[in-house]
Amino acid sequence: MARMKVAVLISGRGSNLQSLIDACADSAFPAEISLVISSQGDAHGLARAKDAGIRAEVINHRSFNARQGFEATIDATLRAAKIELVCMAGFMRILTPWFVERWRDRLINIHPSLLPAFTGLDTHARVLSAGARFSGCTIHYVRPELDDGPILVQAVVPVMPGETPDSLASRVLAAEHRCYPVALQLIAEGRVRIRNELVEVANVLPPADIIMFNPAG
Ligand code: GRF
């Protein structure tokens, strides 16, 4: 069966991109990464794409007068590459409703908290300030509102005694790397549908859409 053609949008380190590259390296995996788009020319993720032999493009918003031109260029590049699903992985630009609607239900994002709690930046510091006992990560379909949209996969990460934002970030990141390939696999296998803005996942036993992340491995 043809593998789903995926693009990954990045702006920096690209460790989640790497987790997707590693999953797709298995020829039995139902998706392939055909394109990486970075909003930053110096993103480390570009080297990861290159090492994996994946086409990578830099589309920097500063080269455009308006957001419309920036997003229209991303849109045209995705369409020319016949991309079926777009995965945002540390992409640091907020996309306008125009772009989000054009890719509705074909655009997913990863966020380092248990949404709908702790949207936005500085997530881990805010989790600790709030005294939350658990954090985690979420892969969700993208809607025009920031960090909003039907939730596909989550992992729970306990907050440990003496936790710092950095220590929590690194354990949440490990959970992210496990979750994103699961989310991509579920979509590429055609198991996911959205009804009344809720995700339904078919025929997954045990429920792989809910991962309890065990920090001990
Ligand atoms: C991740 O924590 C992701 O959840 C957030 O940005 C970070 C990107 O990290 N949206 P990386 O570039 O994938 O290493």
Side-chain angles (χ1 to χ4, degrees):
M1 214 176 104
R3 304 170 91 197
M4 178 174 267
K5 284 167 85 75
V6 172
V8 184
L9 304 188
I10 62 165
S11 297
R13 180 177 57 183
S15 69
N16 279 291
L17 165 65
Q18 189 66 55
S19 76
L20 297 176
I21 289 173
D22 293 346
C24 292
D26 178 351
S27 60
F29 195 80
E32 62 181 326
I33 303 173
S34 318
L35 175 65
V36 169
I37 295 177
S38 174
S39 64
Q40 297 294 331
D42 59 357
H44 179 57
L46 289 167
R48 299 180 191 268
K50 189 167 165 238
D51 287 350
I54 298 168
R55 178 184 158 209
E57 301 284 344
V58 176
I59 303 179
N60 189 318
H61 59 281
R62 292 198 186 85
S63 322
F64 300 88
N65 293 329
R67 258 206 303 196
Q68 205 183 358
F70 170 62
E71 292 189 355
T73 303
I74 296 176
D75 178 59
T77 307
L78 294 169
R79 280 170 201 276
K82 301 204 169 357
I83 296 303
E84 298 167 276
L85 179 77
V86 180
C87 298
M88 294 168 68
F91 186 68
M92 295 306 285
R93 305 302 305 168
I94 292 173
L95 294 164
T96 65
W98 175 81
F99 185 93
V100 171
E101 289 305 332
R102 259 176 104 70
W103 288 88
R104 190 180 177 89
D105 297 346
R106 293 177 300 152
L107 176 64
I108 61 174
N109 180 47
I110 186 160
H111 182 77
S113 79
L114 289 174
L115 291 176
F118 302 107
T119 61
L121 296 174
D122 289 329
T123 319
H124 308 296
R126 288 187 291 118
V127 165
L128 296 182
S129 308
R133 297 295 195 254
F134 292 94
S135 190
C137 63
T138 303
I139 291 114
H140 63 99
Y141 284 90
V142 175
R143 295 292 182 257
E145 210 61 40
L146 181 69
D147 298 327
D148 181 41
I151 290 170
L152 176 56
V153 173
Q154 290 188 308
V156 175
V157 175
V159 174
M160 301 299 213
E163 195 84 88
T164 66
D166 282 352
S167 65
L168 182 58
S170 75
R171 286 180 18 265
V172 169
L173 191 65
E176 293 181 46
H177 297 160
R178 282 185 55 195
C179 285
Y180 220 160
V182 171
L184 178 54
Q185 181 168 357
L186 292 175
I187 293 172
E189 286 177 348
R191 294 181 191 276
V192 177
R193 76 174 182 165
I194 301 169
R195 204 160 61 158
N196 299 329
E197 286 296 83
L198 293 175
V199 166
E200 294 179 350
V201 181
N203 302 327
V204 177
L205 287 172
D209 54 330
I210 303 168
I211 298 174
M212 291 297 289
F213 181 67
N214 176 354

